Amino acid sequence: MVTIKDVAKVAGVSIATVSRVIHDGGQVGEACRARVKKVIAELGYRPNSNARALVSKTTNTLGVVTPKISMPFFGSLASGVEKGARENNYKCLMSNSLYETKSELEAIESLRDHNCRSIILHSEYSDEKTLLKLAEEIPGLVLINRYIPAISNRCVWLDNQTGAKHATDYLLKRGHKKFAVITSIYQNGDPGFRLQGIREALKTANVPLPEAAIEESTANLEGGEQAVKALLAKGVKFTALLAYNDNMAIGAIHALFEAGLRVPEDVSVIGFDDLIVSRVCRPRLTTVHYPVEEMASYATKLAIELGEHPDASHHRTHLFIPHLVERDSVADAPGV
Amino acid sequence: MVTIKDVAKVAGVSIATVSRVIHDGGQVGEACRARVKKVIAELGYRPNSNARALVSKTTNTLGVVTPKISMPFFGSLASGVEKGARENNYKCLMSNSLYETKSELEAIESLRDHNCRSIILHSEYSDEKTLLKLAEEIPGLVLINRYIPAISNRCVWLDNQTGAKHATDYLLKRGHKKFAVITSIYQNGDPGFRLQGIREALKTANVPLPEAAIEESTANLEGGEQAVKALLAKGVKFTALLAYNDNMAIGAIHALFEAGLRVPEDVSVIGFDDLIVSRVCRPRLTTVHYPVEEMASYATKLAIELGEHPDASHHRTHLFIPHLVERDSVADAPGV
DNA sequence: ATGAAAGCGCTAACAA
DNA sequence: TTGTTAGCGCTTTCAT
């Protein structure tokens, strides 16, 4: 391994000078700088980042903590983080929290051991108090997909409510009057906001949404199937179905299909997230696009900025607005 | 930040003693050890991993380099790596190579700057010479999904040929006689092996596979659609379709559907990989399971072992055999 | 413009 | 059993 010493020796200068040319420090003679650069190239010298981190107490390494990176949504998130990191010459440590506050905290502590000053965290279940404490201790901590007013400048989040409103309005515009909703049993966070958006849009349009037409289940494919079966079993009539997310929507389509109902001819379905699967299912899913990769890149740049300049307390807001992606799972209401 | 010095001072011992109890080093008095442990807990001391890495010239950090982590296959790969890493108390750096040899190499160099001794690399396009050189320089480098005989003990790969054979045999068993294949235009690596497996199985069964029944396209959804359209346009008749991977298979199903052909009643389709999408499409896709997460965990443990003990040159082989997952896209041949 | 030297937090000889 | 000390490779004053 070639060190700064080797370079200094070969170039016939001191290590301080080498360090200066590496950092483009001003005070170096042109001839000298050129010579050192040449030696660096010849020897293939690369600074040891651990040594750097040790003395400067900071790294060009940041961390991303998500529940499980193999899930497409979090894979996209991680990809966005990596992009933002790479563009700023940062490396990217990843950890799966597996939905446990304990391993989430462990991952974060471990990141701190590594002198990471910037962390992008997707935390669904940790309570605000914990998060606030963490945010206080780590200036470069940015939350993605969560909004905590007290640290609004550290939250990069999506306006779920508006997204759901858009979807509902679109269905309304296509003439639908009989709605059903399938959502998550956990109404904290996203599911609650999305449901609220739906309710608002419907209320504004004076279209009823009976409680019986709202079915809760697990937020995945199976949950979507079950929820629709339950709806059908209860005899709820609907021509428009709003699902909490794409996975539930696709499960719903399957259940509808099995029940002899056609999508979109008999029932129109809208999802939320715009995961890869929504382009792959049949009919292709009309859904609300969640710009997670873009948001993650943005969050990363923010985290880096905050990590490097903890005092630059700009009070911008970091709210993203989703938009509807029209595909093939929505049609005009029957008879329109 | 609390350092080893702080702990030493509070506990009234030298830093060497603290270091010893951290490493469970034998030579420490019981009373002393207990006291130090207590202080460590009280102060919340955590060793600085950069300092450690600097002196010991090794880290508990490893790297995973894949083309793009947002693709479900690579997300699963990364997840497997993270699991293997976590179980060994390692942290996990990730990089997207974006299918470019240049950024792949850059990512690896950067990993070396960080003193990573273990690297898990998924490289499709880099040539063997480059890879061999890398493997020589980095004892803890493990290739996943690639086989290079000269470093067979560093390759964790899948028997694609056998996988494709299983799929073909299964179709044969269900009475199919008229086959078509859609594959990638790039026949290096996986696609070539899979096609070879199909050819062998068919030859053994004395079932012909005319060249016209093999269509090449891009290895994605659109490619699958195009390939099937081309097959149909050429007037090729088939009741069984083998796709290079799940995405092509699903594209194929879409195209078949549009052409008025039912899956599996008219045409049976088999994919390869068993990505999430194969459980989400309709009909659910019968496919060959690629145990990528499991393989990645295995590769990670291997990489860690090799990184820590470069000389332990066990010459095991690391070949995984895929198996078929029966779902709903295959039926008996019409008339059977 | 350049060099000498201190020290980041830690590990590992070597002493005692 | 415990402490002293010399670095690991680098950045950063402080001299010159």
Side-chain angles (χ1 to χ4, degrees):
Chain A
M1 188 199 187
V2 26
T3 74
I4 200 172
K5 259 187 188 165
D6 301 323
V7 176
K9 196 179 292 173
V10 175
V13 295
S14 74
I15 60 168
T17 301
V18 178
S19 183
R20 284 188 194 104
V21 344
I22 291 168
H23 294 90
D24 275 327
Q27 315 298 54
V28 186
E30 270 322 305
C32 180
R33 154 169 283 128
R35 187 152 33 93
V36 170
K37 279 196 171 169
K38 189 156 155 277
V39 174
I40 286 179
E42 280 172 6
L43 264 44
Y45 165 73
R46 310 203 47 160
N48 177 316
S49 53
N50 290 119
R52 265 194 182 168
L54 180 57
V55 37
S56 63
K57 290 186 181 326
T58 177
T59 356
N60 62 151
T61 300
L62 85 227
V64 48
V65 181
T66 59
K68 189 143 175 53
I69 206 166
S70 58
M71 294 173 68
F73 182 84
F74 298 118
S76 295
L77 198 164
S79 217
V81 170
E82 203 268 355
K83 181 162 172 280
R86 189 146 29 84
E87 287 171 4
N88 285 279
N89 209 24
Y90 268 62
K91 298 301 294 178
C92 190
L93 280 166
M94 62 162 174
S95 302
N96 291 330
S97 70
L98 306 173
Y99 292 105
E100 290 169 27
T101 298
K102 188 165 157 258
S103 40
E104 191 173 292
L105 258 26
E106 265 174 25
I108 291 173
E109 282 313 309
S110 169
L111 253 16
R112 297 177 76 182
D113 297 344
H114 285 258
N115 278 326
C116 286
R117 286 168 99 76
S118 305
I119 296 178
I120 292 86
L121 170 63
H122 184 291
S123 178
E124 284 176 39
Y125 302 119
S126 293
D127 56 274
E128 292 205 1
K129 215 180 110 193
T130 308
L131 260 18
L132 279 170
K133 185 155 162 284
L134 238 35
E136 198 176 328
E137 290 170 7
I138 310 168
L141 177 78
V142 167
L143 300 180
I144 190 163
N145 193 32
R146 180 135 176 185
Y147 180 65
I148 299 179
I151 47 168
S152 63
N153 62 323
R154 313 270 284 279
C155 297
V156 174
W157 54 297
L158 186 78
D159 190 341
N160 280 287
Q161 207 165 326
T162 298
K165 262 181 89 171
H166 286 338
T168 312
D169 286 340
Y170 176 68
L171 253 10
L172 252 8
K173 208 181 69 190
R174 301 292 294 260
H176 290 273
K177 299 270 184 243
K178 288 188 224 146
F179 284 76
V181 174
I182 56 180
T183 184
S184 167
I185 24 175
Y186 301 107
Q187 282 292 304
N188 284 339
D190 296 358
F193 291 123
R194 293 181 190 173
L195 182 53
Q196 212 173 321
I198 295 170
R199 283 202 154 108
E200 265 181 41
L202 254 21
K203 192 168 185 184
T204 305
N206 258 317
V207 169
L209 181 64
E211 282 307 305
I214 302 176
E215 188 66 34
E216 296 180 348
S217 188
T218 51
N220 55 22
L221 193 86
E222 291 73 28
E225 291 180 356
Q226 283 165 14
V228 163
K229 279 181 191 157
L231 245 21
L232 262 19
K234 280 192 287 187
V236 178
K237 301 288 177 203
F238 55 95
T239 65
L241 179 66
L242 286 150
Y244 161 59
N245 66 13
D246 289 349
N247 288 325
M248 288 192 88
I250 292 170
I253 292 177
H254 289 198
L256 256 8
F257 181 78
E258 272 179 34
L261 262 13
R262 294 162 305 162
V263 175
E265 293 81 357
D266 301 318
V267 179
S268 289
V269 177
I270 292 191
F272 204 118
D273 284 348
D274 195 20
L275 300 181
I276 293 177
V277 289
S278 65
R279 260 161 290 164
V280 161
C281 64
R282 209 179 65 242
R284 295 183 315 138
L285 191 66
T286 292
T287 187
V288 180
H289 179 69
Y290 193 132
V292 57
E293 197 156 343
E294 187 189 339
M295 284 169 68
S297 276
Y298 178 94
T300 303
K301 284 167 192 167
L302 178 63
I304 290 174
E305 197 181 318
L306 288 170
E308 293 181 353
H309 312 288
D311 308 316
S313 75
H314 37 63
H315 280 285
R316 317 177 211 141
T317 170
H318 313 290
L319 175 64
F320 283 69
I321 310 288
H323 64 269
L324 191 77
V325 179
E326 296 183 43
R327 298 213 185 81
D328 313 322
S329 63
V330 171
D332 287 336
V336 170
Chain B
M1 188 200 186
V2 25
T3 74
I4 200 172
K5 259 189 189 163
D6 301 322
V7 176
K9 195 178 292 172
V10 175
V13 295
S14 73
I15 60 167
T17 301
V18 178
S19 182
R20 283 188 196 103
V21 345
I22 291 169
H23 294 91
D24 275 325
Q27 316 298 53
V28 186
E30 270 321 306
C32 180
R33 153 170 284 129
R35 186 153 34 94
V36 171
K37 279 194 172 170
K38 188 155 156 278
V39 174
I40 287 180
E42 281 172 6
L43 263 45
Y45 165 72
R46 310 205 46 162
N48 177 316
S49 54
N50 290 120
R52 269 197 179 164
L54 180 57
V55 37
S56 63
K57 290 185 181 326
T58 176
T59 355
N60 61 148
T61 300
L62 85 228
V64 49
V65 181
T66 60
K68 190 145 174 50
I69 205 166
S70 58
M71 295 173 68
F73 182 85
F74 297 118
S76 296
L77 198 163
S79 218
V81 169
E82 203 268 355
K83 181 162 173 281
R86 190 148 28 86
E87 288 171 3
N88 286 279
N89 209 23
Y90 268 61
K91 299 300 296 176
C92 191
L93 280 165
M94 63 162 172
S95 303
N96 291 331
S97 70
L98 306 173
Y99 291 105
E100 289 169 26
T101 298
K102 189 168 157 257
S103 38
E104 190 172 294
L105 259 26
E106 264 173 25
I108 291 174
E109 283 312 309
S110 169
L111 253 17
R112 298 178 75 182
D113 297 343
H114 284 258
N115 279 327
C116 286
R117 286 166 99 76
S118 304
I119 296 177
I120 292 86
L121 171 64
H122 184 291
S123 177
E124 284 176 41
Y125 301 121
S126 293
D127 55 275
E128 293 205 359
K129 214 180 112 194
T130 308
L131 262 17
L132 279 169
K133 185 155 162 284
L134 239 34
E136 198 175 328
E137 290 171 6
I138 309 168
L141 178 77
V142 167
L143 301 180
I144 191 163
N145 193 32
R146 179 135 176 185
Y147 180 66
I148 299 180
I151 47 168
S152 62
N153 61 324
R154 313 270 283 281
C155 297
V156 174
W157 54 297
L158 187 78
D159 190 341
N160 281 287
Q161 207 164 327
T162 298
K165 261 181 89 172
H166 285 339
T168 312
D169 286 340
Y170 176 68
L171 253 9
L172 252 7
K173 208 181 70 190
R174 301 293 294 260
H176 291 275
K177 300 267 184 247
K178 288 189 222 144
F179 284 76
V181 174
I182 57 181
T183 182
S184 166
I185 24 176
Y186 301 107
Q187 282 292 305
N188 285 339
D190 296 358
F193 290 123
R194 293 181 190 174
L195 182 52
Q196 211 171 322
I198 296 170
R199 284 204 154 106
E200 264 180 42
L202 254 20
K203 192 167 184 185
T204 306
N206 256 318
V207 169
L209 180 65
E211 281 308 305
I214 302 176
E215 189 65 35
E216 296 181 348
S217 190
T218 51
N220 54 23
L221 193 85
E222 292 72 28
E225 292 179 356
Q226 284 165 14
V228 164
K229 279 181 191 156
L231 244 21
L232 262 19
K234 280 193 286 187
V236 177
K237 302 286 178 206
F238 56 95
T239 65
L241 179 66
L242 286 150
Y244 161 59
N245 65 15
D246 288 349
N247 288 326
M248 289 192 87
I250 293 169
I253 291 176
H254 289 198
L256 255 8
F257 181 78
E258 273 180 34
L261 262 13
R262 293 162 305 163
V263 176
E265 293 82 356
D266 301 317
V267 179
S268 289
V269 177
I270 292 192
F272 205 117
D273 284 349
D274 195 20
L275 300 181
I276 293 177
V277 289
S278 65
R279 259 161 291 164
V280 161
C281 65
R282 209 180 63 240
R284 297 183 314 140
L285 191 65
T286 292
T287 188
V288 179
H289 179 69
Y290 193 131
V292 57
E293 198 156 342
E294 186 189 340
M295 284 170 68
S297 277
Y298 179 94
T300 303
K301 285 167 192 169
L302 178 63
I304 291 174
E305 196 182 321
L306 287 169
E308 293 181 351
H309 312 288
D311 309 317
S313 76
H314 37 65
H315 280 286
R316 318 177 212 142
T317 169
H318 314 291
L319 176 63
F320 282 69
I321 310 289
H323 64 270
L324 192 77
V325 179
E326 295 185 43
R327 291 206 267 260
D328 313 322
S329 64
V330 171
D332 289 335
V336 171

